[in-house]
Amino acid sequence: MFKARGRVSTVLAATAVAVGLSIGVGAGSAAAAPRLTTDTIFYQDGKSVVVSLYADGKYAGAVTWNADPLGDKPGDALQAYDGGADGWGVMGTVTDPWIYRSASTAGHASPYTTKWVTGDLTEDTRLDISVCLVKGSQKVCDYNLPRVSS
């Protein structure tokens, strides 16, 4: 009787150790998404914006919406910049019910700046802007930014 209890205890203990190890290994292999915070700087009378992105408090990059031409920068143009070699890309999107424009650094080594994504829009069209950190199918986004315009 005592030998059977000892064997059962050994099997239970071994099972508990194996389960604990498998849970520990599984938890370590999944990369946690960073906490995204943003900072905005508006220009051109509030029509244009540079949104800086921070992953867990560290600078990750920026998204720029340029409403009107400024120097060598085109108007009605969106650009993304990835400045953090952290494995996460930077994506920016401007939308309204009829317009969708997106710029993303996904798939490029950091540092990387996209080309300007352009196209003429009706003057003073109000646009929603969002910014995201992207990695594979994961996205961490800020959709609560003030509106911009064309």
Side-chain angles (χ1 to χ4, degrees):
M1 180 84 175
F2 291 109
K3 285 185 180 182
R5 278 191 196 167
R7 287 182 188 150
V8 170
S9 296
T10 301
V11 169
L12 290 174
T15 302
V17 169
V19 169
L21 285 174
S22 68
I23 290 171
V25 169
S29 63
R35 187 175 69 85
L36 172 64
T37 54
T38 58
D39 186 30
T40 55
I41 299 174
F42 288 90
Y43 61 101
Q44 294 183 336
D45 295 325
K47 292 170 57 172
S48 300
V49 66
V50 175
V51 182
S52 297
L53 290 79
Y54 298 88
D56 294 329
K58 295 178 185 171
Y59 180 75
V63 171
T64 302
W65 169 255
N66 200 46
D68 296 319
L70 183 65
D72 63 344
K73 299 174 186 168
D76 297 337
L78 183 69
Q79 186 176 61
Y81 167 72
D82 183 352
D86 54 9
W88 289 83
V90 172
M91 181 174 79
T93 305
V94 290
T95 60
D96 83 350
W98 299 275
I99 298 165
Y100 177 88
R101 191 167 293 168
S102 185
S104 176
T105 67
H108 296 277
S110 177
Y112 180 78
T113 304
T114 66
K115 294 181 180 179
W116 287 101
V117 179
T118 64
D120 195 33
L121 300 176
T122 303
E123 199 64 24
D124 295 323
T125 299
R126 300 295 292 163
L127 302 164
D128 292 313
I129 186 168
S130 61
V131 298
C132 301
L133 295 173
V134 294
K135 183 178 194 178
S137 63
Q138 291 181 297
K139 282 186 184 179
V140 181
C141 301
D142 185 349
Y143 298 105
N144 297 314
L145 297 168
R147 295 186 91 193
V148 292
S149 64
S150 60

